[in-house]
Amino acid sequence: MNIFEKIGYYLGFDFVINALIVGVLISLCCGILGVFLVLKRYSMIGDGLSHVAFGATSIAMIVGIADMYLMLPITIVVAILLIRMTNRGKVKNDSAIAMLSVGALAIGYLLVNIFSSSANISSDVCSTLFGSTSILTLSSLDVWLSIVLTIFVLAYFILFHNKIFAVTFDESFAKASGTKTSIYNNIMAVIVGIIIVLAMKLVGSLLISALIVFPALSAIRLFKSYKLVIIFASIVSVVNSILGIFISMLWGTPVGATIVAIDIFVYVICWCIEIIKQEIKKA
Amino acid sequence: MQYSTIINMQNTPSKYINKTFKIRGRVGSNGSAYHYMSGTDATNCCNWSIEIRVVDSSISYPSTTNNVIALGTYKSSKVNGRTSYYIQVSDFM
């Protein structure tokens, strides 16, 4: 079988179609969200929240319920608390994220080891941390939840893009001109929580930051316009995820790590293009 | 893909019944009637296993230490009210 025949064969499996649908939706949201998080200097928030989500998954594993029912609400609540904590200035951004990140990871892994009913703890943990095959073993609930939540996230970004832009670039001015910035920050926290939980299925807990950060940074290297940065980041994120899923299927590599490797490669290409453009301008 | 496919076969078996599969892995046995194949995923941290049955008397189970490819059909059987799923092997390669 050549590569195209193999791809055609794999596309006959509905779990592959599900993986592609969810992968495209998640990466689209991550591409858009990443721009705002990078500009507001919340790049590592994805890391912190994904570790909190891992802790919640561990509790769900022990209790024996579907992880989404626990991961989503806990991650959203922590996201809101984290953004409030850093906005009030009592704990600095990076310290708050570091505290939550390592604490949740350690407690989660400890609980899984002490209380787990599964004989294969390392596979449960490994799959959640690295997303090695999670995207290819989605349930119908996972797929429908991803679709509904992505529609909600995209609708928010499309309907309120002006306010989001104002709050991102100059929050003080937005507040002074009457915008209720705390509401927009809380909604953004909810959206970050949702996207982190969904993205864990694609790349796992440890690699989520890459999915959020790299497409945005690649776009910022090439474009100065806000609209173009968002469009390019979304396209790059989606294309890289699709490529990563196909490469993983064809050559048996872990999905999450493959997608991140492609993200890094594209970022380096964009960086080189920026350098070349600057040299041409100087000349 | 093999790991994902087997997990999906076990999660939603009705979609895969009577379909033919080629599976690579190690053959194991409980010493008597029960035989299975097992293997790992791409990161070597997650394991899969699936029961295999040979109905054709001319085919024998390979040694349990071998890494083999089994060709067979995904079937189900009901024993004491409980449904189990297995690969009915037609050939080992």
Side-chain angles (χ1 to χ4, degrees):
Chain A
M1 254 196 219
N2 66 35
I3 284 180
F4 299 106
E5 283 169 350
K6 253 189 186 173
I7 292 173
Y9 169 68
Y10 288 144
L11 289 173
F13 289 99
D14 57 0
F15 67 85
V16 172
I17 302 293
N18 289 343
L20 287 169
I21 291 170
V22 172
V24 164
L25 294 176
I26 291 171
S27 51
L28 180 61
C29 291
C30 286
I32 297 171
L33 180 72
V35 173
F36 298 101
L37 292 182
V38 164
L39 291 171
K40 282 187 78 80
R41 302 191 188 277
Y42 281 137
S43 301
M44 292 308 290
I45 203 170
D47 211 48
L49 288 176
S50 66
H51 293 174
V52 168
F54 170 77
T57 305
S58 306
I59 298 170
M61 267 191 239
I62 294 162
V63 168
I65 57 172
D67 52 12
M68 277 289 194
Y69 294 128
L70 220 51
M71 263 207 299
L72 211 45
I74 289 177
T75 309
I76 288 171
V77 166
V78 171
I80 294 172
L81 290 174
L82 197 58
I83 286 180
R84 278 190 167 192
M85 213 177 358
T86 55
N87 278 349
R88 283 186 187 156
K90 287 188 179 174
V91 179
K92 291 290 171 208
N93 217 345
D94 54 348
S95 309
I97 292 169
M99 262 176 14
L100 276 168
S101 178
V102 294
L105 198 59
I107 301 281
Y109 191 57
L110 192 61
L111 290 174
V112 162
N113 271 272
I114 295 171
F115 297 111
S116 177
S117 53
S118 164
N120 194 2
I121 295 169
S122 63
S123 81
D124 294 337
V125 169
C126 193
S127 182
T128 309
L129 287 177
F130 292 101
S132 43
T133 49
S134 305
I135 195 67
L136 290 166
T137 55
L138 297 170
S139 65
S140 309
L141 171 67
D142 291 330
V143 178
W144 281 109
L145 203 55
S146 301
I147 292 171
V148 168
L149 292 173
T150 304
I151 290 171
F152 164 69
V153 168
L154 289 175
Y156 172 72
F157 278 116
I158 291 168
L159 294 172
F160 297 101
H161 65 277
N162 287 329
K163 297 284 186 197
I164 296 168
F165 175 82
V167 172
T168 303
F169 281 95
D170 195 340
E171 192 170 334
S172 317
F173 178 76
K175 204 170 185 177
S177 57
T179 302
K180 289 190 171 52
T181 55
S182 59
I183 292 176
Y184 287 99
N185 281 331
N186 286 338
I187 295 174
M188 188 58 83
V190 170
I191 286 173
V192 170
I194 290 170
I195 291 175
I196 294 301
V197 165
L198 295 178
M200 275 176 70
K201 291 284 179 188
L202 186 58
V203 294
S205 209
L206 292 182
L207 299 173
I208 279 177
S209 287
L211 202 63
I212 287 173
V213 160
F214 275 112
L217 290 178
S218 301
I220 288 168
R221 285 275 167 200
L222 294 182
F223 301 103
K224 303 295 168 212
S225 148
Y226 160 73
K227 207 187 228 177
L228 286 174
V229 164
I230 293 201
I231 292 170
F232 187 77
S234 313
I235 293 171
V236 157
S237 187
V238 168
V239 167
N240 291 355
S241 294
I242 294 173
L243 265 175
I245 291 171
F246 277 122
I247 290 172
S248 159
M249 284 193 309
L250 289 168
W251 283 286
T253 57
V255 175
T258 309
I259 292 173
V260 173
I262 295 171
D263 278 336
I264 294 169
F265 177 72
V266 167
Y267 174 73
V268 169
I269 300 281
C270 292
W271 192 8
C272 293
I273 293 172
E274 187 197 25
I275 293 171
I276 292 168
K277 275 167 72 176
Q278 282 171 351
E279 291 302 315
I280 292 172
K281 240 184 193 174
K282 277 184 200 168
Chain B
M1 272 302 284
Q2 181 169 271
Y3 176 87
S4 312
T5 309
I6 291 172
I7 295 298
N8 279 282
M9 280 162 69
Q10 291 167 336
N11 284 341
T12 51
S14 56
K15 291 181 185 174
Y16 298 92
I17 291 292
N18 294 326
K19 291 204 162 66
T20 307
F21 293 91
K22 215 189 248 185
I23 300 179
R24 180 192 296 271
R26 269 190 307 279
V27 173
S29 166
N30 69 346
S32 56
Y34 181 80
H35 288 80
Y36 61 89
M37 282 185 75
S38 66
T40 62
D41 74 337
T43 54
N44 279 328
C45 80
C46 299
N47 296 303
W48 59 266
S49 70
I50 194 162
E51 186 187 353
I52 55 172
R53 293 184 194 176
V54 167
V55 294
D56 183 348
S57 52
S58 65
I59 303 170
S60 56
Y61 292 101
S63 157
T64 55
T65 56
N66 281 358
N67 211 1
V68 299
I69 296 173
L71 180 68
T73 313
Y74 198 47
K75 297 278 193 193
S76 68
S77 67
K78 213 160 186 170
V79 176
N80 297 330
R82 210 172 156 193
T83 309
S84 64
Y85 299 94
Y86 60 95
I87 298 283
Q88 185 170 300
V89 178
S90 58
D91 195 14
F92 287 106
M93 299 178 232

